[in-house]
Amino acid sequence: YYVKSYAIANGETFYSKEVSFTTEMYASPVLEIETDNVTGDSFDAKVKATSGTPLPIMEYGLVYATATEPTVENATKVVFGEGDSENTLAIEGLTDDTAYYVRPYAINKNGVSYGEEVVVLTLSNKAMVSTIATSFVTAHRANVAGEILSLGLLNTPVTEVGICWSTNP
């Protein structure tokens, strides 16, 4: 702001020297997020938004994407509500075995504020196996083993296990 004092005397206006100052912005809203009940295509998110200032929160929620630092402009936005509040919603329709970067947001007259980013890794529907290192390798023989790490979310029964090999990768 730019201000100066004035006085009018005998029809003439007199001004003081101009002074300028900048007002402080109110602090950003405090945003907290918790995630729970992660499945292959969903998770539950609890967001708490507290303004802590006279500026009301006009909208709050979360944003998520498969790239880091999602924003309301470049990610999927889920609106939870307005004002100082806390709410839990199920985020659905996701892809299994995928890392989602999630962070809460709030909008007030100062603009958009973001909370801490969390990573949610959706579970896999696929079975996971591992090859254990070879041992006792000779000119004509090698011992190799495999291990089933997970049957995936579908928990499908194993119908066959084995080792496949080739002279090419």
Side-chain angles (χ1 to χ4, degrees):
Y1 291 95
Y2 299 91
V3 296
K4 53 184 166 178
S5 300
Y6 72 92
I8 300 174
N10 294 330
E12 190 174 352
T13 305
F14 302 93
Y15 292 97
S16 70
K17 183 177 177 181
E18 183 176 271
V19 177
S20 66
F21 63 90
T22 302
T23 58
E24 293 182 13
M25 286 183 61
Y26 286 116
S28 296
V30 176
L31 298 164
E32 300 173 36
I33 187 168
E34 294 177 25
T35 58
D36 197 12
N37 299 324
V38 179
T39 69
D41 65 353
S42 68
F43 66 90
D44 291 343
K46 178 172 137 181
V47 174
K48 181 178 181 182
T50 309
S51 73
T53 72
L55 294 178
I57 295 173
M58 298 180 290
E59 177 182 297
Y60 80 96
L62 65 79
V63 290
Y64 67 91
T66 56
T68 188
E69 296 185 6
T71 67
V72 295
E73 291 87 17
N74 72 3
T76 301
K77 179 174 91 165
V78 180
V79 178
F80 278 42
E82 62 184 53
D84 287 18
S85 188
E86 180 178 313
N87 206 343
T88 302
L89 291 175
I91 310 303
E92 299 175 322
L94 306 174
T95 304
D96 74 320
D97 197 25
T98 303
Y100 288 94
Y101 298 88
V102 184
R103 62 183 181 165
Y105 77 91
I107 300 173
N108 64 15
K109 288 186 179 182
N110 283 343
V112 181
S113 299
Y114 295 97
E116 185 175 333
E117 179 177 271
V118 297
V119 179
V120 175
L121 178 59
T122 54
L123 302 178
S124 176
N125 287 320
K126 304 171 197 93
M128 293 174 50
V129 294
S130 172
T131 303
I132 299 172
T134 58
S135 60
F136 304 110
V137 177
T138 68
H140 303 284
R141 174 182 346 187
N143 289 342
V144 181
E147 179 181 13
I148 299 170
L149 301 174
S150 167
L151 296 177
L153 289 173
L154 302 178
N155 208 20
T156 307
V158 174
T159 57
E160 184 177 333
V161 291
I163 300 293
C164 54
W165 60 276
S166 172
T167 57
N168 294 313

